Coordinates of all heavy atoms in Angstrom, one line a residue:
V1 N 18.4 13.8 -9.0 CA 17.4 14.4 -9.8 C 16.2 13.5 -9.9 O 15.0 13.9 -9.8 CB 18.0 14.9 -11.2 CG1 16.8 15.4 -12.1 CG2 19.0 16.0 -11.0
M2 N 16.5 12.2 -10.3 CA 15.4 11.3 -10.4 C 14.6 11.0 -9.1 O 13.4 10.9 -9.1 CB 16.0 9.9 -10.9 CG 16.3 9.9 -12.3 SD 15.0 10.3 -13.4 CE 13.9 9.0 -13.1
N3 N 15.3 11.1 -7.9 CA 14.7 11.0 -6.6 C 13.6 12.1 -6.5 O 12.6 11.9 -6.0 CB 15.7 11.0 -5.6 CG 15.1 10.7 -4.2 OD1 14.0 10.0 -4.1 ND2 15.7 11.2 -3.2
G4 N 14.0 13.3 -6.8 CA 13.2 14.5 -6.7 C 11.9 14.3 -7.6 O 10.8 14.6 -7.2
I5 N 12.2 14.0 -8.8 CA 11.1 13.8 -9.8 C 10.1 12.7 -9.3 O 8.9 12.8 -9.4 CB 11.6 13.5 -11.2 CG1 12.4 14.7 -11.8 CG2 10.5 13.0 -12.2 CD1 13.2 14.5 -13.0
S6 N 10.7 11.6 -8.8 CA 9.9 10.5 -8.3 C 9.0 10.9 -7.2 O 7.9 10.6 -7.1 CB 10.8 9.3 -8.0 OG 11.4 8.8 -9.1
F7 N 9.7 11.6 -6.2 CA 8.9 12.1 -5.0 C 7.8 13.0 -5.4 O 6.7 13.0 -4.9 CB 9.9 12.7 -4.0 CG 9.2 13.2 -2.8 CD1 8.8 12.2 -1.9 CD2 8.9 14.5 -2.6 CE1 8.1 12.7 -0.7 CE2 8.2 14.9 -1.4 CZ 7.8 14.0 -0.5
Y8 N 8.1 14.0 -6.4 CA 7.0 14.9 -6.8 C 5.9 14.1 -7.5 O 4.7 14.4 -7.2 CB 7.6 15.9 -7.8 CG 6.6 16.8 -8.4 CD1 6.2 17.9 -7.7 CD2 6.1 16.6 -9.7 CE1 5.2 18.8 -8.2 CE2 5.2 17.4 -10.2 CZ 4.7 18.5 -9.5 OH 3.8 19.4 -10.0
A9 N 6.2 13.2 -8.3 CA 5.2 12.4 -9.0 C 4.3 11.6 -8.0 O 3.1 11.5 -8.1 CB 5.8 11.4 -10.0
H10 N 5.0 11.0 -7.0 CA 4.4 10.3 -5.9 C 3.4 11.2 -5.1 O 2.2 10.9 -4.9 CB 5.3 9.7 -4.9 CG 4.7 9.0 -3.7 ND1 4.5 9.7 -2.5 CD2 4.1 7.8 -3.6 CE1 3.9 8.9 -1.7 NE2 3.6 7.8 -2.3
S11 N 3.8 12.4 -4.8 CA 3.0 13.4 -4.1 C 1.7 13.8 -4.9 O 0.6 13.9 -4.4 CB 3.8 14.6 -3.7 OG 4.8 14.3 -2.8
Q12 N 2.0 14.1 -6.2 CA 0.9 14.5 -7.0 C -0.2 13.3 -7.2 O -1.3 13.5 -7.1 CB 1.4 14.9 -8.4 CG 2.1 16.2 -8.4 CD 1.3 17.3 -7.9 OE1 0.2 17.5 -8.3 NE2 1.9 18.1 -7.0
L13 N 0.3 12.1 -7.4 CA -0.5 11.0 -7.6 C -1.3 10.8 -6.2 O -2.5 10.4 -6.3 CB 0.2 9.7 -8.0 CG -0.6 8.5 -8.2 CD1 -1.5 8.7 -9.4 CD2 0.3 7.3 -8.5
S14 N -0.6 10.9 -5.2 CA -1.3 10.8 -3.8 C -2.4 11.7 -3.7 O -3.5 11.3 -3.1 CB -0.2 11.0 -2.7 OG -0.8 10.8 -1.5
W15 N -2.2 13.0 -4.1 CA -3.3 13.9 -4.0 C -4.5 13.6 -4.9 O -5.7 13.7 -4.5 CB -2.8 15.3 -4.3 CG -2.2 16.0 -3.2 CD1 -0.9 16.3 -3.0 CD2 -2.9 16.6 -2.0 NE1 -0.7 16.9 -1.8 CE2 -2.0 17.2 -1.2 CE3 -4.3 16.7 -1.7 CZ2 -2.3 17.8 0.0 CZ3 -4.6 17.3 -0.5 CH2 -3.6 17.8 0.3
V16 N -4.2 13.1 -6.1 CA -5.3 12.7 -7.0 C -6.1 11.5 -6.4 O -7.3 11.5 -6.4 CB -4.7 12.3 -8.4 CG1 -5.7 11.6 -9.3 CG2 -4.1 13.5 -9.1
V17 N -5.4 10.5 -5.9 CA -6.0 9.4 -5.3 C -6.9 9.9 -4.1 O -8.0 9.4 -3.9 CB -5.0 8.3 -4.9 CG1 -5.7 7.2 -4.0 CG2 -4.4 7.7 -6.1
L18 N -6.3 10.7 -3.2 CA -7.0 11.2 -2.0 C -8.3 11.9 -2.4 O -9.2 11.9 -1.6 CB -6.1 12.1 -1.2 CG -6.6 12.5 0.2 CD1 -6.8 11.2 1.0 CD2 -5.5 13.3 0.9
T19 N -8.3 12.6 -3.5 CA -9.6 13.3 -3.9 C -10.7 12.3 -4.3 O -11.8 12.6 -4.4 CB -9.3 14.3 -5.0 OG1 -8.8 13.6 -6.2 CG2 -8.4 15.4 -4.6
R20 N -10.2 11.0 -4.7 CA -11.2 10.1 -5.2 C -11.7 9.0 -4.2 O -12.6 8.4 -4.4 CB -10.7 9.4 -6.4 CG -10.4 10.4 -7.6 CD -9.7 9.8 -8.7 NE -9.4 10.8 -9.7 CZ -9.8 10.8 -10.9 NH1 -10.5 9.7 -11.4 NH2 -9.4 11.7 -11.8
V21 N -10.9 8.8 -3.1 CA -11.2 7.8 -2.1 C -11.2 8.5 -0.7 O -10.8 9.6 -0.6 CB -10.2 6.7 -2.2 CG1 -10.2 5.9 -3.6 CG2 -8.8 7.1 -1.8
S22 N -11.7 7.7 0.2 CA -11.7 8.2 1.6 C -10.3 8.2 2.1 O -9.3 7.5 1.6 CB -12.6 7.3 2.5 OG -12.0 6.1 2.7
A23 N -10.1 8.9 3.2 CA -8.8 9.1 3.8 C -8.3 7.7 4.4 O -7.1 7.4 4.3 CB -8.8 10.1 4.9
V24 N -9.2 7.0 4.9 CA -8.8 5.6 5.4 C -8.4 4.7 4.3 O -7.3 4.0 4.4 CB -10.0 5.0 6.2 CG1 -9.7 3.6 6.6 CG2 -10.4 5.8 7.4
T25 N -9.1 4.7 3.2 CA -8.7 3.9 2.0 C -7.3 4.3 1.6 O -6.5 3.5 1.2 CB -9.7 4.0 0.9 OG1 -11.0 3.5 1.5 CG2 -9.3 3.1 -0.3
H26 N -7.1 5.6 1.4 CA -5.8 6.1 1.0 C -4.7 5.7 2.0 O -3.6 5.2 1.5 CB -5.9 7.7 0.9 CG -4.6 8.3 0.4 ND1 -3.6 8.7 1.3 CD2 -4.2 8.5 -0.8 CE1 -2.7 9.2 0.5 NE2 -3.0 9.1 -0.7
S27 N -5.0 5.7 3.3 CA -4.0 5.3 4.2 C -3.7 3.8 4.1 O -2.5 3.4 4.2 CB -4.5 5.6 5.6 OG -3.6 5.1 6.6
V28 N -4.7 3.0 3.9 CA -4.5 1.6 3.7 C -3.6 1.3 2.5 O -2.7 0.5 2.5 CB -5.8 0.8 3.7 CG1 -5.7 -0.6 3.3 CG2 -6.5 0.9 5.1
C29 N -4.0 2.0 1.4 CA -3.2 1.8 0.2 C -1.8 2.2 0.4 O -0.8 1.6 -0.2 CB -3.8 2.6 -1.0 SG -5.4 1.9 -1.5
N30 N -1.6 3.3 1.1 CA -0.2 3.7 1.4 C 0.6 2.7 2.2 O 1.8 2.5 2.1 CB -0.2 5.1 2.1 CG 1.1 5.8 2.0 OD1 1.9 5.6 1.1 ND2 1.4 6.6 3.1
S31 N -0.1 2.1 3.2 CA 0.5 1.1 4.1 C 0.9 -0.1 3.3 O 1.9 -0.8 3.6 CB -0.3 0.8 5.3 OG -1.4 0.1 4.9
I32 N 0.2 -0.5 2.3 CA 0.5 -1.7 1.5 C 1.7 -1.5 0.6 O 2.4 -2.4 0.2 CB -0.7 -2.3 0.8 CG1 -0.4 -3.7 0.3 CG2 -1.0 -1.4 -0.4 CD1 -0.2 -4.7 1.4
R33 N 1.9 -0.2 0.3 CA 3.1 0.2 -0.6 C 4.4 -0.2 0.1 O 5.3 -0.7 -0.6 CB 3.0 1.7 -0.8 CG 4.2 2.2 -1.6 CD 4.1 3.7 -1.8 NE 4.0 4.4 -0.6 CZ 5.1 4.9 0.1 NH1 6.2 4.6 -0.4 NH2 4.9 5.5 1.2
R34 N 4.5 -0.1 1.3 CA 5.7 -0.4 2.0 C 6.2 -1.9 1.9 O 7.3 -2.2 1.5 CB 5.7 0.0 3.5 CG 5.6 1.5 3.7 CD 5.5 2.0 5.1 NE 5.4 3.4 5.2 CZ 4.3 4.1 5.3 NH1 3.1 3.4 5.3 NH2 4.2 5.3 5.3
P35 N 5.3 -2.8 2.2 CA 5.7 -4.2 2.0 C 6.0 -4.6 0.6 O 6.9 -5.4 0.3 CB 4.6 -5.1 2.5 CG 3.5 -4.2 3.1 CD 4.0 -2.8 2.9
V36 N 5.2 -4.0 -0.3 CA 5.4 -4.2 -1.8 C 6.8 -3.7 -2.2 O 7.6 -4.5 -2.9 CB 4.3 -3.6 -2.6 CG1 4.7 -3.6 -4.1 CG2 3.0 -4.3 -2.4
M37 N 7.2 -2.6 -1.7 CA 8.5 -2.1 -2.0 C 9.6 -2.9 -1.3 O 10.7 -3.1 -1.9 CB 8.6 -0.6 -1.6 CG 7.7 0.3 -2.4 SD 7.9 0.2 -4.2 CE 9.6 0.8 -4.4
S38 N 9.3 -3.4 -0.2 CA 10.3 -4.3 0.5 C 10.5 -5.6 -0.2 O 11.7 -6.0 -0.5 CB 9.9 -4.6 2.0 OG 9.8 -3.4 2.7
I39 N 9.5 -6.1 -0.7 CA 9.6 -7.4 -1.5 C 10.3 -7.1 -2.8 O 11.1 -7.9 -3.2 CB 8.1 -8.0 -1.7 CG1 7.6 -8.5 -0.4 CG2 8.2 -9.1 -2.8 CD1 6.1 -8.8 -0.4
A40 N 10.0 -6.0 -3.5 CA 10.7 -5.6 -4.7 C 12.2 -5.5 -4.4 O 13.0 -5.9 -5.2 CB 10.1 -4.4 -5.3
G41 N 12.6 -4.9 -3.3 CA 14.0 -4.7 -2.9 C 14.6 -6.1 -2.7 O 15.8 -6.3 -3.1
V42 N 13.9 -7.0 -2.1 CA 14.5 -8.3 -1.9 C 14.7 -9.1 -3.2 O 15.8 -9.6 -3.5 CB 13.5 -9.2 -1.0 CG1 13.9 -10.6 -1.0 CG2 13.5 -8.7 0.4
I43 N 13.7 -8.9 -4.1 CA 13.9 -9.6 -5.4 C 15.0 -8.8 -6.3 O 15.8 -9.6 -6.9 CB 12.5 -9.5 -6.2 CG1 11.5 -10.4 -5.5 CG2 12.7 -10.0 -7.6 CD1 10.1 -10.3 -5.9
Q44 N 15.0 -7.6 -6.3 CA 15.9 -6.9 -7.1 C 17.3 -6.9 -6.6 O 18.3 -7.1 -7.4 CB 15.5 -5.4 -7.3 CG 16.4 -4.5 -8.1 CD 16.3 -4.8 -9.6 OE1 15.3 -5.3 -10.1 NE2 17.4 -4.5 -10.2
F45 N 17.5 -6.6 -5.3 CA 18.8 -6.5 -4.7 C 19.3 -7.7 -3.9 O 20.4 -7.7 -3.4 CB 18.9 -5.2 -3.9 CG 18.5 -4.0 -4.7 CD1 17.4 -3.3 -4.4 CD2 19.4 -3.6 -5.8 CE1 17.0 -2.2 -5.1 CE2 19.0 -2.4 -6.5 CZ 17.8 -1.8 -6.2
G46 N 18.4 -8.6 -3.6 CA 18.8 -9.7 -2.8 C 19.0 -9.4 -1.3 O 19.8 -10.1 -0.6
N47 N 18.2 -8.4 -0.8 CA 18.4 -8.0 0.6 C 17.9 -9.1 1.5 O 17.0 -9.9 1.2 CB 17.5 -6.8 0.9 CG 18.0 -5.6 0.1 OD1 19.1 -5.5 -0.4 ND2 17.1 -4.6 0.0
H48 N 18.6 -9.2 2.7 CA 18.2 -10.2 3.7 C 17.0 -9.7 4.4 O 16.8 -8.5 4.7 CB 19.3 -10.4 4.7 CG 18.9 -11.3 5.8 ND1 18.8 -12.6 5.7 CD2 18.7 -11.0 7.1 CE1 18.4 -13.1 6.9 NE2 18.4 -12.1 7.7
V49 N 16.0 -10.6 4.6 CA 14.8 -10.3 5.3 C 14.8 -11.2 6.7 O 14.8 -12.4 6.6 CB 13.5 -10.6 4.5 CG1 12.3 -10.4 5.3 CG2 13.6 -9.9 3.2
S50 N 14.7 -10.5 7.8 CA 14.6 -11.2 9.0 C 13.2 -11.7 9.2 O 12.3 -11.3 8.5 CB 15.0 -10.3 10.2 OG 14.1 -9.4 10.4
F51 N 13.0 -12.6 10.3 CA 11.7 -13.1 10.6 C 10.8 -12.0 10.9 O 9.6 -12.0 10.5 CB 11.8 -14.1 11.7 CG 10.5 -14.6 12.2 CD1 9.8 -15.5 11.4 CD2 9.9 -14.1 13.3 CE1 8.5 -15.9 11.8 CE2 8.6 -14.5 13.7 CZ 8.0 -15.4 13.0
L52 N 11.3 -11.0 11.7 CA 10.4 -9.9 12.1 C 10.0 -9.0 10.9 O 8.9 -8.6 10.9 CB 11.2 -9.0 13.2 CG 10.4 -8.0 13.9 CD1 9.2 -8.7 14.6 CD2 11.2 -7.3 14.9
N53 N 10.9 -8.8 10.0 CA 10.6 -8.0 8.8 C 9.5 -8.8 8.0 O 8.6 -8.2 7.5 CB 11.8 -7.8 7.9 CG 12.8 -6.9 8.6 OD1 12.7 -6.6 9.7 ND2 13.7 -6.4 7.8
A54 N 9.7 -10.1 7.8 CA 8.8 -10.9 7.1 C 7.4 -10.9 7.7 O 6.3 -10.8 7.1 CB 9.2 -12.3 6.8
A55 N 7.4 -11.0 9.0 CA 6.1 -11.0 9.8 C 5.4 -9.7 9.7 O 4.2 -9.6 9.5 CB 6.4 -11.3 11.3
G56 N 6.1 -8.6 9.6 CA 5.5 -7.3 9.4 C 4.9 -7.1 8.0 O 3.8 -6.6 7.9
M57 N 5.6 -7.6 7.0 CA 5.1 -7.6 5.6 C 3.8 -8.4 5.5 O 2.9 -8.0 4.9 CB 6.2 -8.0 4.7 CG 7.3 -7.0 4.5 SD 8.4 -7.5 3.1 CE 9.5 -8.5 4.0
V58 N 3.8 -9.6 6.1 CA 2.6 -10.4 6.1 C 1.5 -9.8 6.8 O 0.3 -9.7 6.4 CB 2.9 -11.8 6.7 CG1 1.6 -12.7 6.9 CG2 3.9 -12.6 5.8
L59 N 1.8 -9.2 8.0 CA 0.7 -8.5 8.8 C 0.1 -7.3 8.0 O -1.1 -7.2 8.0 CB 1.3 -8.1 10.1 CG 0.3 -7.4 11.1 CD1 -0.7 -8.4 11.5 CD2 1.0 -6.9 12.3
A60 N 0.9 -6.5 7.4 CA 0.4 -5.4 6.6 C -0.4 -5.9 5.4 O -1.4 -5.3 5.1 CB 1.6 -4.5 6.1
S61 N 0.0 -6.9 4.7 CA -0.7 -7.5 3.6 C -2.1 -8.0 4.1 O -3.1 -7.8 3.4 CB 0.2 -8.5 2.9 OG 1.3 -8.0 2.4
L62 N -2.0 -8.8 5.2 CA -3.3 -9.4 5.7 C -4.3 -8.3 6.1 O -5.5 -8.4 5.9 CB -3.0 -10.4 6.8 CG -2.4 -11.7 6.4 CD1 -2.1 -12.5 7.6 CD2 -3.3 -12.4 5.5
G63 N -3.8 -7.2 6.7 CA -4.6 -6.2 7.2 C -5.3 -5.5 6.0 O -6.4 -5.1 6.1
T64 N -4.6 -5.3 4.9 CA -5.1 -4.7 3.7 C -6.2 -5.6 3.1 O -7.3 -5.2 2.6 CB -4.1 -4.4 2.7 OG1 -3.1 -3.5 3.3 CG2 -4.6 -3.8 1.4
L65 N -5.9 -6.9 3.1 CA -6.9 -7.9 2.6 C -8.1 -7.8 3.4 O -9.2 -7.9 2.8 CB -6.3 -9.3 2.6 CG -7.2 -10.4 2.1 CD1 -7.5 -10.3 0.7 CD2 -6.5 -11.7 2.4
V66 N -8.0 -7.9 4.7 CA -9.2 -7.8 5.6 C -10.0 -6.6 5.4 O -11.2 -6.5 5.2 CB -8.8 -8.0 7.1 CG1 -10.0 -7.7 8.0 CG2 -8.3 -9.3 7.3
Y67 N -9.3 -5.4 5.2 CA -10.0 -4.1 5.0 C -10.8 -4.1 3.7 O -11.9 -3.7 3.6 CB -9.0 -3.0 5.0 CG -9.6 -1.7 4.7 CD1 -10.4 -1.0 5.6 CD2 -9.5 -1.1 3.4 CE1 -11.0 0.2 5.3 CE2 -10.0 0.1 3.1 CZ -10.8 0.8 4.0 OH -11.4 1.9 3.7
T68 N -10.1 -4.7 2.6 CA -10.8 -4.7 1.3 C -12.0 -5.6 1.4 O -13.1 -5.3 0.8 CB -9.9 -5.1 0.2 OG1 -9.3 -6.4 0.4 CG2 -8.8 -4.1 0.0
Q69 N -12.0 -6.7 2.1 CA -13.1 -7.6 2.2 C -14.3 -7.0 3.0 O -15.4 -7.2 2.7 CB -12.7 -8.9 2.9 CG -11.8 -9.8 2.1 CD -12.3 -10.2 0.7 OE1 -13.5 -10.6 0.6 NE2 -11.6 -10.0 -0.3
V70 N -14.0 -6.2 4.0 CA -15.0 -5.5 4.7 C -15.6 -4.4 4.0 O -16.8 -4.1 4.0 CB -14.4 -5.0 6.1 CG1 -15.3 -4.1 6.8 CG2 -14.0 -6.1 7.0
R71 N -14.8 -3.7 3.2 CA -15.3 -2.6 2.4 C -16.1 -3.0 1.2 O -16.9 -2.2 0.7 CB -14.1 -1.7 1.9 CG -13.4 -0.9 2.9 CD -14.1 0.3 3.3 NE -14.2 1.2 2.1 CZ -14.9 2.3 2.1 NH1 -15.4 2.7 3.2 NH2 -14.9 3.1 1.1
V72 N -15.9 -4.1 0.6 CA -16.7 -4.6 -0.5 C -18.1 -4.9 -0.1 O -18.3 -5.7 0.7 CB -16.0 -5.8 -1.2 CG1 -16.8 -6.3 -2.3 CG2 -14.6 -5.4 -1.7
P73 N -19.1 -4.1 -0.8 CA -20.4 -4.4 -0.5 C -20.9 -5.8 -1.0 O -20.5 -6.2 -2.0 CB -21.3 -3.4 -1.2 CG -20.3 -2.7 -2.1 CD -19.0 -3.1 -1.7
R74 N -21.6 -6.5 -0.1 CA -22.0 -7.9 -0.4 C -23.3 -7.8 -1.4 O -24.1 -6.9 -1.1 CB -22.4 -8.7 0.8 CG -21.3 -8.7 1.8 CD -20.3 -9.7 1.4 NE -19.3 -9.9 2.5 CZ -18.0 -10.1 2.1 NH1 -17.7 -10.3 0.9 NH2 -17.2 -10.2 3.1
T75 N -23.3 -8.5 -2.4 CA -24.4 -8.6 -3.3 C -25.1 -10.0 -3.2 O -24.4 -10.9 -2.8 CB -24.0 -8.3 -4.7 OG1 -23.0 -9.3 -5.1 CG2 -23.5 -6.9 -4.9
G76 N -26.3 -10.1 -3.5 CA -27.0 -11.3 -3.5 C -28.2 -11.3 -2.6 O -28.5 -10.2 -2.0
P77 N -28.8 -12.4 -2.4 CA -30.1 -12.5 -1.6 C -29.7 -12.2 -0.1 O -28.7 -12.7 0.4 CB -30.6 -13.9 -1.8 CG -29.5 -14.7 -2.3 CD -28.6 -13.7 -3.0
S78 N -30.5 -11.5 0.5 CA -30.4 -11.3 2.0 C -30.9 -12.5 2.7 O -31.9 -13.1 2.4 CB -31.1 -10.0 2.4 OG -30.7 -8.9 1.7
A79 N -30.2 -12.8 3.9 CA -30.7 -13.9 4.7 C -31.7 -13.4 5.7 O -31.7 -12.4 6.2 CB -29.5 -14.6 5.3

């Protein structure tokens, strides 16, 4: 029952976020959710993380960081 409620809440929240941001931003936010949940699983349950899994989590996190840096408008004097 909790799984169904959680999935419904995730779907509704996803639609709300999608109405407020672009589809690309929504996709990037959704992709960062996976490594965050993986890290939470490692901390909570002590799951083993292989080198390839860790590399994937780092790559997803870095990709999100790069996207947010590109999307943030630069302020200040123009060169």
Side-chain angles (χ1 to χ4, degrees):
V1 172
M2 285 303 295
N3 186 27
I5 292 170
S6 297
F7 183 74
Y8 176 78
H10 174 265
S11 295
Q12 291 300 313
L13 184 61
S14 181
W15 274 105
V16 169
V17 170
L18 190 55
T19 62
R20 296 174 187 237
V21 298
S22 72
V24 174
T25 301
H26 184 268
S27 177
V28 168
C29 290
N30 194 33
S31 69
I32 196 64
R33 178 181 56 89
R34 291 180 183 96
V36 168
M37 295 306 294
S38 297
I39 292 168
V42 168
I43 293 169
Q44 179 70 26
F45 304 113
N47 296 342
H48 173 71
V49 177
S50 71
F51 175 77
L52 191 57
N53 291 16
M57 287 187 272
V58 168
L59 183 63
S61 300
L62 287 176
T64 302
L65 177 66
V66 169
Y67 175 76
T68 57
Q69 292 301 313
V70 169
R71 287 282 296 177
V72 174
R74 304 283 182 213
T75 58
S78 299

